[in-house]
Amino acid sequence: MISPEARGVHAPPFSDAERAAVYRAIEERRDVRAHFVADPVPQDVLRRVLEAAHHAPSVGFSQPWRFIVVRDRARREAVHGFFESANAEAAGAYEGDRAGAYRRLRLAGILDAPVNLCVVCDEDPARGDGLGRRTMPETARYSTVCAIQNLWLAARAEGLGVGWVSIVDPQKVLSLFRVPARYALVAYLCVGYVRAFAAEPDLERDHWESRLPLDDVIDYEIFTMR
Ligand SMILES: Cc1cc2nc3c(=O)[nH]c(=O)nc-3n(C[C@H](O)[C@H](O)[C@H](O)COP(=O)(O)O)c2cc1C
């Protein structure tokens, strides 16, 4: 193999341990709904994971994200109420065994996690002057998702669990947090220290869905019908 130096690359390489740590955070990141503990999340730790989020790539370098830090119990209870009604409606869409299986799933930890993050995205950011969004306006939301993934991985390295809640009416959440109309709700996240990180996704453990083999999602040169 040609060494990085021989290729003219002068970026300092990651050590074996640093590289292993990156892959470990990726592999051991979990969506956490149960296992939260009530221990408070120190402000400096929260800032570190938000800093990681803020270093995400963004279309036109527009940085369209906004993170609303929610610790107030009454606000979390309100969102939990939105979740309960949306979840009951979602459960009603399944039939037979699948309906029973859905009802047994734990799909949010809004009240157990001491910190919630309401992540919203400016749909038409002035920053970046439209670069990249003329053809794909949705890239502002994609950028915000990149920020969330950075936060999720940094949180894992900090021993913090993160659970993504999408089973809520976005308009109700936006109005609860008085978010202006130009912003979209991208994620409602539950954040807190955890007793354990599961070895496999909860939905895999509960036989709802399983991980595809990598080769099922890779094509070469053109899309392959399977
Ligand atoms: C966009 C998005 C929305 C999600 N919404 C929910 C949700 O509402 N409730 C939930 O329990 N998990 C939610 N999840 C988490 C997924 O269920 C989880 O990522 C998946 O089962 C794989 O598990 P893992 O993240 O632990 O690897 C969401 C994940 C993403 C990326």
Coordinates of all heavy atoms in Angstrom, one line a residue, residues 29-33 83 106-108 145 152 163-168 186 200-204 211, ligand 1:
R29 N -23.2 3.2 19.3 CA -24.3 4.2 19.4 C -25.7 3.4 19.4 O -25.8 2.5 18.6 CB -24.3 5.2 18.3 CG -25.4 6.3 18.4 CD -25.8 6.8 17.0 NE -26.1 5.7 16.1 CZ -27.3 5.0 16.1 NH1 -28.2 5.4 17.0 NH2 -27.5 4.0 15.3
R30 N -26.6 3.8 20.3 CA -27.9 3.2 20.3 C -28.9 4.3 20.4 O -28.7 5.3 21.0 CB -28.0 2.3 21.5 CG -27.4 0.9 21.5 CD -28.2 -0.1 20.8 NE -28.2 0.0 19.4 CZ -27.2 -0.4 18.6 NH1 -26.2 -1.0 19.1 NH2 -27.3 -0.3 17.3
D31 N -30.1 3.9 19.9 CA -31.3 4.8 20.2 C -31.8 4.3 21.6 O -32.1 3.1 21.7 CB -32.3 4.6 19.1 CG -33.5 5.5 19.4 OD1 -33.4 6.7 19.0 OD2 -34.5 5.1 20.0
V32 N -31.8 5.2 22.6 CA -32.2 4.8 23.9 C -33.5 5.3 24.3 O -33.8 6.5 24.2 CB -31.1 5.4 24.9 CG1 -31.5 5.0 26.3 CG2 -29.7 4.8 24.6
R33 N -34.4 4.4 24.7 CA -35.8 4.8 25.2 C -35.9 4.5 26.6 O -36.6 5.2 27.4 CB -36.9 4.1 24.4 CG -36.8 4.1 22.9 CD -36.0 2.9 22.4 NE -35.7 3.0 21.0 CZ -36.4 2.4 20.1 NH1 -37.4 1.6 20.3 NH2 -36.0 2.4 18.8
F83 N -46.8 12.8 22.5 CA -46.4 11.4 22.1 C -47.4 10.4 22.4 O -47.7 9.5 21.5 CB -45.1 11.1 22.9 CG -44.7 9.6 22.8 CD1 -44.2 9.0 21.7 CD2 -45.0 8.8 23.9 CE1 -44.0 7.7 21.6 CE2 -44.7 7.4 23.9 CZ -44.2 6.9 22.7
R106 N -41.3 0.1 23.5 CA -41.0 1.3 24.3 C -40.4 2.3 23.3 O -39.4 2.0 22.7 CB -40.0 1.0 25.4 CG -39.5 2.2 26.2 CD -40.5 2.6 27.2 NE -40.2 3.9 27.7 CZ -39.7 4.2 28.9 NH1 -39.4 3.2 29.7 NH2 -39.4 5.4 29.2
L107 N -41.1 3.4 23.0 CA -40.7 4.2 21.9 C -40.3 5.7 22.2 O -40.1 6.5 21.4 CB -41.8 4.2 20.8 CG -42.1 2.9 20.1 CD1 -43.3 2.9 19.2 CD2 -40.9 2.4 19.4
A108 N -40.3 5.9 23.5 CA -39.8 7.3 23.9 C -39.5 7.3 25.4 O -40.0 6.5 26.2 CB -40.9 8.3 23.7
V145 N -29.9 17.0 10.1 CA -29.8 15.6 10.5 C -28.3 15.2 10.7 O -28.0 14.4 11.6 CB -30.4 14.7 9.4 CG1 -30.2 13.2 9.7 CG2 -31.9 15.0 9.3
W152 N -25.2 12.6 18.4 CA -25.5 11.2 18.9 C -24.2 10.4 19.1 O -24.1 9.7 20.1 CB -26.4 10.5 17.8 CG -27.4 9.6 18.2 CD1 -27.5 8.9 19.4 CD2 -28.6 9.2 17.5 NE1 -28.6 8.1 19.4 CE2 -29.3 8.3 18.3 CE3 -29.1 9.5 16.2 CZ2 -30.5 7.6 17.8 CZ3 -30.3 8.9 15.8 CH2 -31.0 8.0 16.6
G163 N -32.3 9.4 22.5 CA -33.4 8.7 21.9 C -34.2 9.7 21.0 O -34.5 10.8 21.4
W164 N -34.4 9.3 19.8 CA -35.1 10.2 18.8 C -36.6 9.9 18.8 O -37.0 8.8 18.6 CB -34.5 9.9 17.4 CG -34.9 10.8 16.3 CD1 -36.2 11.3 16.1 CD2 -34.1 11.4 15.2 NE1 -36.2 12.1 15.0 CE2 -34.9 12.2 14.4 CE3 -32.7 11.2 14.9 CZ2 -34.4 12.8 13.3 CZ3 -32.3 11.9 13.8 CH2 -33.1 12.7 13.0
V165 N -37.4 10.9 19.1 CA -38.8 10.7 19.1 C -39.4 11.4 17.9 O -39.3 12.7 17.7 CB -39.4 11.3 20.4 CG1 -40.9 11.0 20.4 CG2 -38.8 10.8 21.6
S166 N -40.0 10.6 17.0 CA -40.7 11.3 15.8 C -42.2 11.0 15.9 O -42.9 11.5 15.0 CB -40.1 10.7 14.5 OG -40.1 9.3 14.5
I167 N -42.6 10.3 17.0 CA -44.1 10.0 17.1 C -44.8 11.1 17.8 O -45.2 11.0 19.0 CB -44.3 8.6 17.7 CG1 -43.4 7.6 17.0 CG2 -45.7 8.2 17.7 CD1 -43.2 6.3 17.7
V168 N -44.8 12.3 17.2 CA -45.5 13.5 17.8 C -46.0 14.3 16.6 O -45.4 14.3 15.5 CB -44.5 14.4 18.6 CG1 -44.2 13.8 20.0 CG2 -43.2 14.6 17.9
V186 N -37.2 18.9 13.1 CA -36.4 17.8 12.6 C -36.4 16.6 13.6 O -36.6 15.5 13.2 CB -35.0 18.2 12.2 CG1 -34.2 17.0 11.7 CG2 -35.1 19.3 11.0
E200 N -27.7 -4.5 20.8 CA -28.3 -4.5 19.5 C -29.5 -3.5 19.6 O -30.0 -3.1 20.7 CB -28.9 -5.9 19.1 CG -29.8 -6.4 20.2 CD -30.4 -7.8 19.9 OE1 -30.1 -8.3 18.9 OE2 -31.0 -8.3 20.8
P201 N -30.0 -3.0 18.4 CA -31.1 -2.1 18.5 C -32.3 -2.7 19.2 O -32.6 -3.9 19.0 CB -31.5 -1.9 17.0 CG -30.2 -2.1 16.3 CD -29.5 -3.2 17.0
D202 N -33.1 -1.9 19.9 CA -34.2 -2.4 20.6 C -35.2 -3.1 19.7 O -35.8 -4.1 20.0 CB -35.0 -1.3 21.4 CG -34.2 -0.8 22.6 OD1 -33.1 -1.3 22.8 OD2 -34.7 0.1 23.3
L203 N -35.4 -2.5 18.5 CA -36.3 -3.1 17.5 C -35.9 -4.4 17.0 O -36.7 -5.2 16.6 CB -36.5 -2.1 16.3 CG -37.3 -0.8 16.7 CD1 -37.5 0.0 15.4 CD2 -38.5 -1.0 17.5
E204 N -34.6 -4.7 17.1 CA -34.1 -6.0 16.7 C -34.3 -7.0 17.8 O -34.8 -8.1 17.6 CB -32.6 -5.9 16.4 CG -32.0 -7.1 15.8 CD -30.8 -6.8 14.8 OE1 -30.0 -6.0 15.1 OE2 -30.8 -7.5 13.7
R211 N -31.2 -5.9 11.1 CA -30.2 -5.2 10.3 C -30.0 -6.0 8.9 O -29.8 -7.2 8.9 CB -28.9 -5.1 11.0 CG -27.9 -4.2 10.3 CD -26.6 -4.0 11.0 NE -26.8 -3.5 12.4 CZ -27.0 -2.2 12.7 NH1 -27.2 -1.3 11.7 NH2 -27.2 -1.9 14.0
Ligands
LIG1 C1 -35.3 9.9 11.8 C2 -35.4 8.9 12.9 C3 -36.6 8.9 13.7 C4 -36.7 8.0 14.7 N1 -37.9 8.0 15.5 C5 -38.0 7.2 16.6 C6 -39.1 7.2 17.4 O1 -40.1 8.0 17.3 N2 -39.2 6.3 18.4 C7 -38.2 5.4 18.7 O2 -38.3 4.6 19.6 N3 -37.1 5.4 17.9 C8 -37.0 6.2 16.8 N4 -35.8 6.2 16.1 C9 -34.7 5.3 16.4 C10 -34.8 4.0 15.5 O3 -35.8 3.2 15.9 C11 -33.4 3.3 15.7 O4 -32.4 4.2 15.2 C12 -33.3 2.0 15.0 O5 -34.3 1.1 15.5 C13 -31.9 1.4 15.0 O6 -31.5 1.3 16.4 P1 -30.2 2.0 16.9 O7 -30.3 3.5 16.6 O8 -30.1 1.7 18.3 O9 -29.0 1.5 16.1 C14 -35.7 7.1 15.0 C15 -34.5 7.1 14.3 C16 -34.4 8.1 13.2 C17 -33.1 8.1 12.5

